């Protein structure tokens, strides 16, 4: 007689699949009891579990039956054993498939219903927006329509185009590198793949790929290794005026440089404008302090630039950032600049500090290149920054967040979020391996116990493989 779990169909044993009694009278194995996807409900009758899953008692009668069973192996020819093994593997795979589908199918139905509810809400919102726009036109008010309403309109257009798609191509890759491919001609309007495409887009998993113009890369350098850097120091400044002519006279300082660091002062734009034709391999530019828009006009022309550190002035308007950047450190950024970042096809590392804009929803990045990101989650811009994290969810491997250990006044409480774990879990960070909590101070945490508790709480919402690190004390989680 085989004693099996009603959920995963695995035989009960005295270890991973140890039988557990539920308050409703049903019996399932320990592994299924601890599965968070069951939502603390009996999978058979859906009654709530009134106790913690870890405290459920053993099914002692079943355990005694397991202990009393004694099945002796039978000798079979080698050929029969091989066939038996194949059947056994197929049986185990079938059990896992049924278990997975029992969990996934209800969630898929729930997601599609949620998509319907969201689309209805968006429709009503657009109806109201159009009515208000018409009323303003009649009244002679020709003011601009809010950007978020226009974005919602574009989103609805994209969704209906997806719903009318004729053909889909899929590529599925296993962990061992094996690849499955399919090109599917969609059926009628009721084809299940159609609403799933819309849902994938809603979950930021389906990306629309547009052609992005990137400045041409200069010809490859041929010659000995070059590591020279032009550093702007105190003697190069007369108060806030950069001594451009003095720097240009000393050709040894700037000839063939690949990096300029500490650029500052009035006249910085002139220095870049004069040097640019002589520096075809300039890859790195570090600008100190807030800059004038004229400097960024020259930066935009540097086609070889790969790494940029810049601090903007909230009151000034700047030209677009160079699309070919691979690393970017930017302070005081606005919404348009963030949208520019989303279109950078080579960006692999970005540091954001300070955002001046509305809590808008950013679309997914068109490029799976970004691997490292730093953000400040101030309470007033939390929704926008979480949306930005979701935009890079498919490729982001390490995320650094400015976060105090609690909401005490001395620890910058506006950046403390007790729901950070839930928020990150909802971002769909499929590639993330490491989360670093950057503290307001670089010295070891004054409250190590609170630090450990915060990190354990965050990790409880994330896969166990995630590493959650404090950037100040580096105390390991047990």
């Amino acid at each position: 007689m085989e004693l099996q779990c009603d959920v995963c169909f695995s035989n009960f044993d005295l270890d991973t699949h140890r039988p557990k009694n539920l308050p409703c009278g049903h019996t399932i194995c320990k592994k299924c009891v601890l599965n968070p996807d069951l939502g603390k409900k009996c999978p058979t009758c859906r009654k709530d579990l009134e106790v913690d899953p870890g405290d459920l008692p053993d099914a002692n009668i079943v355990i005694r039956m397991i202990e009393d069973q004694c099945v002796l192996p039978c000798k079979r020819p080698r050929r029969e054993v091989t066939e038996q093994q194949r059947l056994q593997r197929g049986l185990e795979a079938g059990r896992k498939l049924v278990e997975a589908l029992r969990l996934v199918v209800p969630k898929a139905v729930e997601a599609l219903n949620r998509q319907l509810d969201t689309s209805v809400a968006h429709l009503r919102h657009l109806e109201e927006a159009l009515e208000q726009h018409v009323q303003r036109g009649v009244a002679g008010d020709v003011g601009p329509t809010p950007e978020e309403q226009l974005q919602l309109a574009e989103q609805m257009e994209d969704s209906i185009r997806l719903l009318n798609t004729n053909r889909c191509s899929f590529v599925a890759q296993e962990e061992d590198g094996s690849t499955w491919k399919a090109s599917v001609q969609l059926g009628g309007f009721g084809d299940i793949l159609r609403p799933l495409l819309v849902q994938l887009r809603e979950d930021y998993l389906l990306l629309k790929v547009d052609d992005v113009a990137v400045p041409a890369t200069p010809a490859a350098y041929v010659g000995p290794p070059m590591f020279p850097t032009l550093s702007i120091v105190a003697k190069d400044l007369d108060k806030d005026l950069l001594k451009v002519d003095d720097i240009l006279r000393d050709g040894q300082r700037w000839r063939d440089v690949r990096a300029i660091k500490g650029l500052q002062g009035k006249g910085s734009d002139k220095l870049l404008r004069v040097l640019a034709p002589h520096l075809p391999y300039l890859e790195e530019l570090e600008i100190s302090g807030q800059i004038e828009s004229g400097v960024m006009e020259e930066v935009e022309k540097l086609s070889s630039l790969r790494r940029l550190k810049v601090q903007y002035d909230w009151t000034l308007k700047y030209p677009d950032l160079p699309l070919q950047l691979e690393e970017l450190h930017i302070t005081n950024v606005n919404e348009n600049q963030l949208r520019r970042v989303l279109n950078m096809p080579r960006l692999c590392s970005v540091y954001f500090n300070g955002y001046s804009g509305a809590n808008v929803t950013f679309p997914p990045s068109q490029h799976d290149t970004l691997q490292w990101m730093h953000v400040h989650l101030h309470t007033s811009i939390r929704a926008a920054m979480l949306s930005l994290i979701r935009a890079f969810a498919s490729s982001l491997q390490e995320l650094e967040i400015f976060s105090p250990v609690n909401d005490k006044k001395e620890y910058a409480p506006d950046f403390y979020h007790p729901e950070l774990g839930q928020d990150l879990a909802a971002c769909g960070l499929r590639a993330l391996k490491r989360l670093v909590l950057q503290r307001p101070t670089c010295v070891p945490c004054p409250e190590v116990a609170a630090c450990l508790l915060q990190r354990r709480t965050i990790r409880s919402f994330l896969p166990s493989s995630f590493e959650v690190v404090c950037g100040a004390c580096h105390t390991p989680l047990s």
Side-chain angles (χ1 to χ4, degrees):
M1 174 183 178
E2 291 188 350
L3 303 174
Q4 296 179 337
C5 172
D6 291 339
V7 177
C8 65
F9 300 116
S10 296
N11 291 340
F12 286 127
D13 55 35
L14 302 181
D15 188 18
T16 304
H17 298 286
R18 192 177 186 89
K20 293 288 184 177
N21 274 337
L22 305 186
C24 58
H26 292 104
T27 302
I28 63 176
C29 72
K30 177 182 176 182
K31 181 179 179 180
C32 293
V33 165
L34 299 178
N35 189 335
D37 290 329
L38 292 182
K40 292 187 177 182
K41 292 179 178 291
C42 172
T44 302
C45 64
R46 306 305 295 167
K47 289 185 178 179
D48 293 331
L49 302 181
E50 299 177 355
V51 297
D52 188 273
D55 296 333
L56 290 172
D58 290 341
N60 292 323
I61 295 178
V62 180
I63 288 178
R64 284 199 296 270
M65 294 175 67
I66 295 173
E67 293 174 338
D68 291 340
Q69 283 182 351
C70 179
V71 180
L72 296 176
C74 299
K75 287 188 177 181
R76 295 184 182 273
R78 185 177 184 85
R79 180 172 174 272
E80 292 184 10
V81 171
T82 301
E83 292 176 350
Q84 179 179 332
Q85 290 175 343
R86 293 172 60 186
L87 291 172
Q88 183 64 36
R89 287 199 302 267
L91 178 62
E92 292 174 358
R95 288 170 176 167
K96 292 178 181 178
L97 176 63
V98 172
E99 177 185 5
L101 289 175
R102 281 183 168 174
L103 296 174
V104 170
V105 170
K107 288 189 174 184
V109 173
E110 179 184 351
L112 291 173
N113 285 328
R114 188 169 60 250
Q115 171 63 34
L116 175 60
D117 294 339
T118 301
S119 298
V120 171
H122 287 171
L123 175 61
R124 292 172 179 170
H125 183 74
L126 287 177
E127 289 174 342
E128 294 174 359
L130 180 59
E131 182 178 354
Q132 292 172 3
H133 184 81
V134 172
Q135 291 175 353
R136 288 199 307 270
V138 173
D141 182 2
V142 293
T145 302
E147 182 64 25
E148 60 182 34
Q149 294 180 355
L150 297 177
Q151 291 178 10
L152 180 58
E154 292 179 3
Q155 178 181 334
M156 297 296 279
E157 288 185 273
D158 287 342
S159 294
I160 192 60
R161 282 196 293 267
L162 275 175
L163 207 58
N164 287 289
T165 299
N166 292 323
R167 176 174 290 277
C168 289
S169 296
F170 301 89
V171 177
Q173 188 170 4
E174 301 179 32
E175 292 183 357
D176 63 359
S178 300
T179 301
W180 300 73
K181 296 182 180 181
S183 181
V184 182
Q185 182 71 36
L186 298 184
F189 200 73
D191 194 312
I192 190 173
L193 287 177
R194 296 183 185 277
L196 286 178
L197 290 174
V198 177
Q199 182 60 45
L200 285 172
R201 183 190 181 281
E202 184 73 17
D203 291 339
Y204 303 99
L205 299 177
L206 183 63
L207 308 181
K208 182 179 180 181
V209 180
D210 293 328
D211 293 331
V212 179
V214 179
T217 303
Y221 169 73
V222 178
M226 294 193 310
F227 306 102
T229 298
L230 171 60
S231 298
I232 304 301
V233 294
K235 70 176 184 178
D236 296 319
L237 296 166
D238 182 5
K239 295 183 179 179
D240 62 344
L241 183 66
L242 184 64
K243 300 177 182 178
V244 177
D245 292 338
D246 291 350
I247 296 173
L248 293 175
R249 288 191 189 100
D250 189 356
Q252 294 296 326
R253 289 187 63 188
W254 53 263
R255 187 171 292 114
D256 296 328
V257 298
R258 289 200 167 187
I260 299 178
K261 296 191 175 183
L263 183 64
Q264 57 187 298
K266 294 180 180 178
S268 296
D269 54 341
K270 178 182 177 181
L271 180 65
L272 289 178
R273 186 164 53 251
V274 174
L275 288 183
H278 306 283
L279 303 176
Y281 303 105
L282 181 64
E283 297 180 347
E284 181 176 342
L285 177 60
E286 177 189 292
I287 303 175
S288 298
Q290 294 181 342
I291 60 170
E292 299 177 351
S293 59
V295 177
M296 290 306 297
E297 290 176 3
E298 300 304 321
V299 171
E300 189 180 17
K301 303 173 186 176
L302 299 174
S303 61
S304 60
L305 198 64
R306 296 292 178 267
R307 295 175 292 280
L308 174 65
K309 182 177 181 180
V310 61
Q311 179 178 344
Y312 284 158
D313 184 334
W314 294 121
T315 63
L316 298 181
K317 184 176 181 180
Y318 294 94
D320 288 336
L321 291 161
L323 278 174
Q324 77 276 7
L325 292 178
E326 297 174 3
E327 300 176 28
L328 174 64
H329 185 298
I330 185 169
T331 302
N332 299 343
V333 63
N334 63 30
E335 178 185 339
N336 289 336
Q337 290 150 0
L338 288 182
R339 294 188 183 279
R340 181 73 169 179
V341 169
L342 292 173
N343 287 325
M344 293 182 178
R346 301 171 185 164
L347 190 67
C348 59
S349 176
V350 64
Y351 184 107
F352 295 117
N353 181 8
Y355 167 66
S356 174
N359 276 306
V360 296
T361 299
F362 293 102
S365 171
Q366 300 175 4
H367 313 282
D368 291 333
T369 56
L370 190 73
Q371 298 179 359
W372 188 95
M373 177 193 287
H374 172 102
V375 294
H376 280 48
L377 284 181
H378 190 278
T379 303
S380 62
I381 58 172
R382 173 169 162 266
M385 292 297 99
L386 288 172
S387 174
L388 188 65
I389 292 172
R390 284 196 301 272
F392 293 103
S394 62
S395 62
L396 199 60
Q397 296 186 22
E398 180 168 330
L399 175 62
E400 184 175 278
I401 296 179
F402 180 83
S403 173
V405 71
N406 53 40
D407 58 355
K408 290 184 178 180
K409 186 175 181 180
E410 61 267 30
Y411 296 152
D414 288 338
F415 292 92
Y416 174 70
H417 303 287
E419 304 88 7
L420 183 58
Q422 295 106 303
D423 290 338
L424 293 179
C427 287
L429 297 164
R430 303 185 300 280
L432 194 68
K433 298 178 181 178
R434 195 167 189 257
L435 171 66
V436 179
L437 303 178
Q438 192 64 45
R439 304 305 189 186
T441 176
C442 293
V443 299
C445 286
E447 300 186 39
V448 177
C451 173
L452 288 171
L453 179 60
Q454 181 194 35
R455 287 187 286 147
R456 284 174 181 157
T457 301
I458 292 174
R459 196 171 69 174
S460 68
F461 293 95
L462 303 172
S464 58
S465 59
F466 279 31
E467 184 181 5
V468 183
V469 180
C470 171
C473 67
H474 302 285
T475 307
L477 286 176
S478 56

